[in-house]
Amino acid sequence: MAVVVVPTGLRALTGAERVTLAAPNVLGLLRALEVRFPGFGETLGARFAVAIDGDIHGNADYEPLEDDSEVTFLPPIAGG
């Protein structure tokens, strides 16, 4: 099962820094997170990058996940 490193702003929703879920790809993982933690997707927002085992992907919906994958959702960084 993939290990999700939960962004700080979503930890109150999940109750943990890491959660473990089975999914074939990132889109499936997002769906599973939403089922388990209603509001996860809305709180995460539409603009984010995904790091899978340390490799950052801008559009990762169909990136495959292995049983031991570590997934981190990276919210956009505001600058000025």
Side-chain angles (χ1 to χ4, degrees), residues 7-69:
T8 304
L10 290 166
R11 291 180 184 166
L13 186 64
T14 63
E17 292 181 16
R18 294 174 182 264
V19 296
T20 306
L21 292 165
N25 55 38
V26 173
L27 186 58
L29 183 64
L30 284 168
R31 289 178 179 155
L33 284 162
E34 183 63 31
V35 168
R36 187 166 170 192
F37 307 106
F40 188 95
E42 183 179 342
T43 305
L44 180 63
R47 294 182 38 140
F48 57 87
V50 178
I52 302 170
D53 298 324
D55 293 327
I56 299 174
H57 304 270
N59 185 5
D61 285 353
Y62 297 101
E63 289 293 327
L65 299 176
E66 303 297 327
D67 284 342
D68 62 347
S69 292

